[in-house]
Amino acid sequence: VLDRPPSPEHKRGANSTRSPGNSFMSYRAVKGMNDILPDEVARWHALERAFRETAELHGYAEIRTPVVEGTELFVRSIGEATDVVEKEMYTFSRHSESLTLRPEGTAGAARAYVEHKTHAKEPVSRWYYLGPMFRAERPQRGRYRQFYQAGCEIFGDPGPACDAEMIDMLVGMFRRLGIPDVVASVGSIGGAATRERYRETLRAFLQPKAGELSEHARTRLEQNPLRILDSKDPKDQAACQGAPNILEVLDDADRAHWDALRAHLDALGTPYVVDPLLVRGLDYYTRTLFELKSSAGELGAQNTLCGGGRYDDMIRELGGPAVPAIGFAMGLERILLALGPMELPKRPPCSVAPLGARAVSKALELGRALRDAGVTADVDGRGNSLKSMLRRADGLGARYCIVIGDAELDRGVVQLKDLAGHSQEELPLGDVVARVAHSGGAA
Ligand code: ATP
Ligand code: MG
């Protein structure tokens, strides 16, 4: 369950409370940050495995960067006049440095690319990452303050072939995962020159409607009018109706890139729709932009599963050489919401139930031997009754329960209960591991 019902503690914004009259403290996770309990983790593993497999098949290698970066990195790369930088960052200072919990993964990857002079070692780098990101947003279904992203970056390839391959990879991965109704929107915002021209055109279009805009959008009209296209405020969305289309003002090189991208997607048969007003929340994009949405499952309004695009100027702006780049990030919580329940194979464990003090040591030894043979084993060393141990074995979904009592120990045998077949047989102690391992108890 990803959504935590708001509790009074949450409304007060406190994560611990003191009950009146006693000193008992009840601690809670920070608002918008969730525990992922062991019974939910199997779905996460399945999704992470699917992502890693897909990325590795496409030649991406994993990079792990710190969760904390210097604040300036995000301000510089994401852009000052963006929601993320203006109001969503967790920033603190330590050792007189301003630090920020990463709100996204691209800035750190790009910083690492420059810092390690990766461009000098290989012409094209394909990296993927997976991990927690932090944004101080209003928590709701599919929107959290700590959330997980998986993403890919390609450095050193100007596209458009790799842009098409990346979009096709995502469409294919979501199809294999079984997420229904996925729509890939694709657009282009051109390079710096095109964008500067479009900014003027858009400002001229919105200026007469300034009165209809939200207060926040009005402050952006001067510095960053493109952001208004991405606003979720209905007033801004209405004002943007009929706005000039950036695809009509692309310069020749941007247009050639855009046309070739669509030609590749068409040749691949990748389903997509053109969205001329696609503007993504971060300022660093150039040319290709894309988003994958789904109306599936419990997504509701937070239905963007994945967003990405090209950011050809970032590496240079971070002090590196002029290396083109493209990447995407997808929100794992949202994908899990879209997926709904998943069929997950469960490895049936084998239980070991010792009766009597001497038998416990033998049971521990047997547990180790079973695991060495690849069998998931649970040894019940609580000293409880046979009935209670069988109940625990059942609860674990065990296929077998091996019962060892002191009497069996003296005779060098065990009782092997087949909990699925409701049968029982006596076996020499030395044979039981091989027997369980060969009858499907092993992975
Ligand atoms: P949105 O428009 O929904 O705020 P965004 O444009 O801010 O998304 P990106 O920065 O492009 O999102 O991040 C890529 C993906 O990460 C999103 O498509 C979404 O799946 C996920 N994501 C972003 N913010 C959150 C969040 N606060 N909680 C959960 N997932 C998120
Ligand atoms: Mg956002």
Side-chain angles (χ1 to χ4, degrees):
V1 178
L2 293 163
D3 277 315
R4 174 192 306 280
S7 65
E9 284 79 3
H10 284 172
K11 283 185 193 131
R12 282 201 300 273
N15 68 347
S16 68
T17 54
R18 188 183 289 273
S19 327
N22 68 36
S23 61
F24 174 74
M25 298 279 281
S26 84
Y27 294 98
R28 294 181 163 274
V30 172
K31 182 178 177 184
M33 305 198 180
N34 300 298
D35 298 313
I36 302 165
L37 296 175
D39 62 353
E40 303 165 66
V41 153
R43 302 175 74 235
W44 285 79
H45 282 171
L47 175 57
E48 288 162 5
R49 203 159 40 235
F51 169 72
R52 284 176 193 281
E53 274 170 19
T54 304
E56 284 169 16
L57 277 172
H58 286 77
Y60 294 90
E62 182 173 357
I63 176 159
R64 299 187 184 193
T65 61
V67 168
V68 174
E69 299 275 355
T71 304
E72 201 42 42
L73 173 68
F74 300 117
V75 176
R76 190 68 202 268
S77 58
I78 296 172
E80 217 146 352
T82 57
D83 283 350
V84 171
V85 169
E86 276 178 355
K87 52 189 191 199
E88 297 173 359
M89 296 206 297
Y90 283 95
T91 297
F92 57 99
S93 92
R94 199 31 56 123
H95 309 303
S96 63
E97 246 187 309
S98 178
L99 303 176
T100 293
L101 295 181
R102 63 180 183 193
E104 53 96 60
T106 299
R111 195 258 318 130
Y113 180 85
V114 173
E115 183 170 340
H116 300 282
K117 301 192 169 48
T118 314
H119 72 279
K121 301 175 201 158
E122 52 192 27
V124 176
S125 304
R126 289 182 166 223
W127 290 355
Y128 77 84
Y129 61 84
L130 210 155
M133 306 296 160
F134 303 84
R135 296 185 193 177
E137 305 197 66
R138 192 170 71 76
Q140 50 200 293
R141 181 182 292 275
R143 192 177 292 287
Y144 311 100
R145 292 181 174 173
Q146 173 171 334
F147 60 100
Y148 288 79
Q149 282 186 340
C152 288
E153 317 288 352
I154 304 178
F155 299 104
D157 188 331
C162 71
D163 308 25
E165 187 197 75
M166 187 175 264
I167 295 165
D168 187 61
M169 169 176 108
L170 286 163
V171 170
M173 186 179 71
F174 286 152
R175 184 184 297 142
R176 279 193 304 282
L177 280 168
I179 304 175
D181 310 322
V182 174
V183 176
S185 308
V186 182
S188 174
I189 50 165
T194 293
R195 234 191 5 265
E196 194 40 56
R197 207 148 14 89
Y198 182 60
R199 203 171 282 142
E200 287 314 315
T201 316
L202 188 61
R203 193 178 291 129
F205 172 83
L206 288 172
Q207 200 78 64
K209 303 176 166 201
E212 301 159 35
L213 293 172
S214 71
E215 207 173 311
H216 190 239
R218 230 168 303 142
T219 66
R220 289 206 165 144
L221 201 50
E222 271 321 301
Q223 209 191 338
N224 200 352
L226 264 74
R227 277 274 71 79
I228 302 171
L229 293 174
D230 192 37
S231 166
K232 286 173 179 105
D233 190 309
K235 276 194 293 203
D236 300 336
Q237 288 175 351
C240 289
Q241 285 295 316
N245 181 340
I246 195 163
L247 297 173
E248 283 159 14
V249 299
L250 294 180
D251 68 22
D252 290 348
D254 291 338
R255 168 152 308 284
H257 193 278
W258 168 239
D259 289 343
L261 167 62
R262 278 180 311 150
H264 289 312
L265 288 172
D266 292 338
L268 282 168
T270 313
Y272 69 97
V273 297
V274 172
D275 182 350
L277 295 183
L278 188 61
V279 173
R280 307 206 16 78
L282 319 173
D283 261 359
Y284 52 59
Y285 292 110
T286 51
R287 293 190 167 168
T288 309
L289 281 178
F290 53 91
E291 254 180 20
L292 284 87
K293 293 189 187 205
S294 166
S295 53
E298 308 167 45
L299 275 176
Q302 269 55 249
N303 64 347
T304 307
L305 300 178
C306 173
R310 184 160 277 293
Y311 49 99
D312 288 341
D313 300 332
M314 193 196 292
I315 297 299
R316 206 188 37 217
E317 273 176 24
L318 296 181
V323 171
I326 183 168
F328 69 82
M330 55 197 209
L332 299 190
E333 288 87 350
R334 291 192 193 173
I335 294 172
L336 289 170
L337 284 168
L339 275 173
M342 274 156 111
E343 277 283 327
L344 296 165
K346 203 175 163 194
R347 194 159 69 162
C350 177
S351 262
V352 185
L355 284 163
R358 270 198 304 140
V360 173
S361 295
K362 192 44 100 184
L364 288 172
E365 204 181 296
L366 194 52
R368 185 174 60 192
L370 283 162
R371 294 173 196 123
D372 285 347
V375 178
T376 304
D378 175 74
V379 176
D380 192 343
R382 299 171 301 166
N384 281 3
S385 68
L386 180 60
K387 191 170 154 202
S388 146
M389 290 194 287
L390 288 173
R391 204 180 307 126
R392 166 156 154 184
D394 236 17
L396 290 171
R399 164 88 195 271
Y400 292 107
C401 182
I402 301 171
V403 182
I404 324 178
D406 284 346
E408 277 88 2
L409 208 56
D410 291 337
R411 289 166 44 228
V413 297
V414 297
Q415 304 296 330
L416 178 66
K417 280 181 177 294
D418 182 339
L419 299 177
H422 303 290
S423 61
Q424 176 171 333
E425 69 182 292
E426 188 171 288
L427 280 179
L429 181 59
D431 293 352
V432 72
V433 171
R435 172 62 183 282
V436 170
H438 290 142
S439 51

